[in-house]
Amino acid sequence: MIVTSKELFKAARKHNFAFPAPNYVDQISASAHIAAAEKLGLPVILAFAEAHQTYLPFDEAAAIGRFYAEKAKVPVVLHLDHGQTKETIFRAIDQGFRSVMIDASSQPFEENVRQTREIVAYAHLRGAVVEAEIGHVGGGDEYKDAANCDNIYTTVEEAKRFADLTEVDSLAISIGTAHGAYKGTPVIDFERLAEIRNAVRTPLVLHGGSSSGDENLRRCAEGGISKINIYTDLIVAAFNRAKECHANGYYDLRDAQRQGMMECLEHYYNVFGTERYLEALK
């Protein structure tokens, strides 16, 4: 069943855990993410990034996402990740995505606010929720160390002001992670996370979860992050299982990829402490 993230994030924030948000880029990955969630009996945020239209046209992505989310035995948030254009974000909402991200983090503060407010107004009228980003999470290929990367760290003042001005439903912050695989070792600013969590009532999101380290991510989940995005590690896990597979044909190869993604996602459910959601329901 398709839901919004509102009630899920309330539980996560109160009980100090996070939900994984795995990206899907085809039918195999979408079905693997849902299967892992169903195996554990836990909700999942099934995310499709606008940039991944290179691999999967948007209409196909929407159809695949709706199909697996609607028939799932657990709550599923069908989410548009890193929405870059108003047209695509509106289209996602109109085609059944109950959660969308507007990523205007590379824009000046006031322009980020303006674009986010426009998306929030459209989404809320149609029962969808909105994530935005303040600060900027850069790429892992540029990340040598905390002082040498293209990240722009989120300040407490801007996070609070942005949340107040936009009434956004969740807020992605930059505290030291990066997208993709790292050249260096990520250094997470946990003090900054604590300060933002205490100052902002809006649920917080972390991008660039892959390869950031289990202990780092566990501390983020326990310290106020309600959603952690995972993509690269899932794809790497699928590729590695495929390499190890003594395939007798296409179907063996496909099943190996699916199994690799499921195992990786199950691992992150454990790291993020998502099983506490079941305790929250009692």
Side-chain angles (χ1 to χ4, degrees):
M1 58 181 146
I2 300 178
V3 300
T4 72
S5 56
K6 236 178 190 357
E7 295 304 315
L8 300 184
F9 287 172
K10 281 182 184 177
R13 187 175 170 90
K14 181 177 179 180
H15 295 275
N16 301 314
F17 67 88
F19 288 99
N23 284 111
Y24 70 97
V25 290
D26 53 22
Q27 178 266 338
I28 295 173
S29 51
S31 66
H33 302 338
I34 295 294
E38 289 183 333
K39 180 179 177 181
L40 300 175
L42 293 169
V44 66
I45 299 168
L46 188 64
F48 179 74
E50 180 173 345
H52 287 158
Q53 291 181 97
T54 302
Y55 312 116
L56 184 66
F58 182 82
D59 287 342
E60 292 181 40
I64 288 171
R66 286 196 310 270
F67 175 80
Y68 284 102
E70 287 170 354
K71 76 184 189 72
K73 299 183 178 74
V74 294
V76 178
V77 180
L78 186 57
H79 174 71
L80 178 71
D81 190 24
H82 285 288
Q84 301 288 332
T85 62
K86 179 174 71 173
E87 292 74 20
T88 299
I89 296 170
F90 285 2
R91 189 175 169 196
I93 295 168
D94 294 342
Q95 292 198 34
F97 286 75
R98 298 292 303 280
S99 175
V100 294
M101 180 194 184
I102 165 65
D103 184 2
S105 60
S106 61
Q107 300 294 324
F109 181 87
E110 296 301 334
E111 178 60 16
N112 192 353
V113 168
R114 186 195 69 76
Q115 291 187 28
T116 300
R117 284 173 61 91
E118 184 176 9
I119 300 301
V120 167
Y122 189 90
H124 285 183
L125 281 174
R126 292 157 179 82
V129 296
V130 180
E131 171 189 335
E133 182 173 317
I134 186 71
H136 180 67
V137 177
D141 54 349
E142 300 292 331
Y143 194 111
K144 298 180 180 64
D145 53 50
N148 294 281
C149 62
D150 58 351
N151 285 9
I152 300 172
Y153 282 63
T154 306
T155 67
V156 177
E157 295 76 16
E158 284 197 330
K160 188 174 188 311
R161 186 166 167 240
F162 186 85
D164 290 342
L165 288 172
T166 61
E167 298 183 359
V168 74
D169 300 286
S170 60
L171 185 62
I173 60 173
S174 176
I175 54 172
T177 56
H179 294 111
Y182 291 91
K183 276 188 177 179
T185 302
V187 178
I188 309 299
D189 191 338
F190 292 105
E191 184 177 344
R192 181 77 56 92
L193 170 58
E195 291 171 350
I196 294 173
R197 189 201 186 283
N198 291 333
V200 178
R201 298 178 65 183
T202 306
L204 302 177
V205 171
L206 187 70
H207 286 251
S210 290
S211 303
S212 292
D214 288 357
E215 186 56 31
N216 279 338
L217 296 177
R218 184 177 288 109
R219 287 183 65 184
C220 285
E222 292 174 350
I225 294 293
S226 298
K227 165 179 165 287
I228 301 176
N229 286 28
I230 300 292
Y231 173 61
T232 302
D233 280 358
L234 293 164
I235 299 303
V236 170
F239 182 67
N240 288 340
R241 280 300 295 265
K243 286 195 299 182
E244 296 165 0
C245 171
H246 300 291
N248 291 319
Y250 167 77
Y251 298 109
D252 287 347
L253 192 62
R254 185 189 66 174
D255 291 345
Q257 292 173 322
R258 191 170 184 271
Q259 188 61 35
M261 284 186 276
M262 285 184 64
E263 290 171 357
C264 181
L265 183 53
E266 288 172 39
H267 169 77
Y268 278 120
Y269 268 111
N270 179 60
V271 171
F272 301 165
T274 320
E275 71 277 356
R276 293 187 198 123
Y277 173 73
L278 299 177
E279 299 171 16
L281 293 178
K282 296 177 181 177

